[in-house]
Amino acid sequence: MARGNFSQVTEFILLGLSDARELQLVFFTFFLLAYTMVLLGNLLIIVTVRTDPKLSSPIYFLLCNLSFIDICCTSVTVPRVLVALLSGHKAIAFEGCMAQLFFLHFVGSSEMFLLTVMAFDRYTAICRPLHYTAIMAPEACWALVAACWAGGFIHSIVQTLLTLQLPFCGPNTIHGYFCDVPPVVRLACTDTALTEWLMASNSGLISLGCFLVLVASYALILAKVGARLSQGRWKALSTCASHVMVVTLFFVPCIFIYLRPSGTLPSDKYVCVIYTILSPVMNPLIYTLRSKEVKESMWRLWKR
């Protein structure tokens, strides 16, 4: 990767969440358990959906892709955090930092777009059931997923190129456990006000826009089922409420981090834990394992 002019920094120091050895052991246990849950839960969902022909509806295809993205998202940051907590080695090469930054935004923004597509799928299934098969045809699902990945790549490459053109010749300490755009950009030895605003407009507005679309879609779903039988209404309310909860866990921290081009706050590194760790852990539980069809398919897979 080409660096900005006059860059002298060859590595960055990731301070992590705490310097206390006792807390580092607690964080290691937490990250290890969370990562194990993400891997096992999402791999189980992928295998179940791929092996059971009964789970062939578009929503399960989208959920399978969400599980794959969650595995990628946590794998970008957590394995290195675990190694650093065990070894105490906090340095990361400049090239490794830029690669981590790129892939984090690539899979993170792809997940934002995919969650929006999933909300559109649910809106179509509930509010336009007669047109659902035509709208969410297999070709359309593949095209929507491809668009999510393409949108994530474009977003990430813009963020990475804006970062690479900056010169780094002074401080190299990052107050966090992974390389991200805001803390890295603030280490540049030049005026980064314009760059920060451009990046905030990119990441922040994408996060805010997708979140508002998701909330609006669930509001429309609830308004549509409001006049139906009480049993169906409460089921839809329960489903939408759980989805909004996990969506909020993912989007609100992202909006907090990326929509403000100001200085780093001490709480930022803890806020990042929510959307990089907790949200991927919650996604399988909320989106998939609450489904009766999925649980029955998992039971059949277990018996085989």
Side-chain angles (χ1 to χ4, degrees):
M1 293 183 179
R3 304 192 190 182
N5 294 333
F6 313 113
S7 290
Q8 300 174 3
V9 173
T10 59
E11 65 179 17
F12 292 99
I13 305 299
L14 299 171
L15 296 182
L17 296 174
S18 174
D19 291 328
R21 186 59 185 170
E22 296 79 7
L23 287 178
Q24 288 181 355
L25 292 175
V26 173
F27 289 136
F28 175 82
T29 304
F30 168 74
F31 277 96
L32 180 61
L33 289 176
Y35 189 50
T36 302
M37 290 176 63
V38 170
L39 289 181
L40 294 180
N42 287 290
L43 285 175
L44 177 60
I45 290 169
I46 292 173
V47 172
T48 301
V49 173
R50 297 295 295 175
T51 56
D52 193 339
K54 293 184 178 181
L55 300 179
S56 58
S57 63
I59 186 59
Y60 296 115
F61 172 74
L62 298 176
L63 286 171
C64 191
N65 281 273
L66 178 65
S67 294
F68 176 71
I69 289 180
D70 279 338
I71 292 174
C72 294
C73 188
T74 52
S75 297
V76 171
T77 58
V78 175
R80 200 201 170 281
V81 174
L82 294 174
V83 172
L85 289 171
L86 277 181
S87 65
H89 183 67
K90 299 181 178 182
I92 182 172
F94 183 94
E95 292 77 9
C97 184
M98 293 299 107
Q100 189 179 62
L101 184 152
F102 170 79
F103 285 109
L104 179 67
H105 279 264
F106 181 24
V107 294
S109 55
S110 298
E111 180 167 354
M112 290 185 183
F113 296 136
L114 183 62
L115 288 171
T116 307
V117 170
M118 289 171 60
F120 172 74
D121 172 84
R122 291 298 82 201
Y123 167 79
T124 306
I126 295 174
C127 299
R128 302 187 63 187
L130 297 180
H131 301 87
Y132 178 71
T133 305
I135 295 175
M136 297 301 295
E139 298 80 7
C141 290
W142 279 104
L144 288 171
V145 170
C148 292
W149 284 103
F153 177 80
I154 293 172
H155 160 76
S156 184
I157 200 67
V158 169
Q159 297 287 88
T160 306
L161 291 177
L162 285 173
T163 305
L164 282 173
Q165 56 87 29
L166 296 172
F168 296 93
C169 52
N172 66 338
T173 301
I174 297 176
H175 295 272
Y177 57 92
F178 63 92
C179 288
D180 199 4
V181 171
V184 172
V185 168
R186 291 172 192 132
L187 296 178
C189 49
T190 186
D191 183 13
T192 61
L194 178 60
T195 303
E196 288 186 47
W197 276 107
L198 289 173
M199 291 180 170
S201 300
N202 190 344
S203 297
L205 290 181
I206 287 176
S207 304
L208 181 61
C210 291
F211 179 67
L212 293 177
V213 170
L214 282 162
V215 172
S217 66
Y218 287 124
L220 291 173
I221 290 173
L222 292 177
K224 181 70 174 180
V225 301
R228 297 183 182 177
L229 296 177
S230 59
Q231 183 179 359
R233 182 167 66 248
W234 283 112
K235 182 179 179 180
L237 179 61
S238 174
T239 301
C240 289
S242 60
H243 287 191
V244 169
M245 179 185 70
V246 73
V247 162
T248 301
L249 278 176
F250 181 70
F251 279 94
V252 171
C254 291
I255 294 171
F256 175 77
I257 294 293
Y258 297 114
L259 198 56
R260 51 180 183 85
S262 57
T264 303
L265 298 177
S267 61
D268 284 358
K269 57 186 177 182
Y270 300 106
V271 172
C272 293
V273 175
I274 299 175
Y275 68 86
T276 59
I277 302 297
L278 293 183
S279 181
V281 170
M282 294 292 292
N283 279 344
L285 300 175
I286 298 298
Y287 280 107
T288 308
L289 297 181
R290 294 177 77 249
S291 170
K292 179 181 178 181
E293 292 81 3
V294 174
K295 287 187 288 188
E296 290 176 350
S297 296
M298 289 180 177
W299 178 244
R300 288 193 295 268
L301 181 64
W302 173 260
K303 289 193 294 185
R304 289 207 301 268

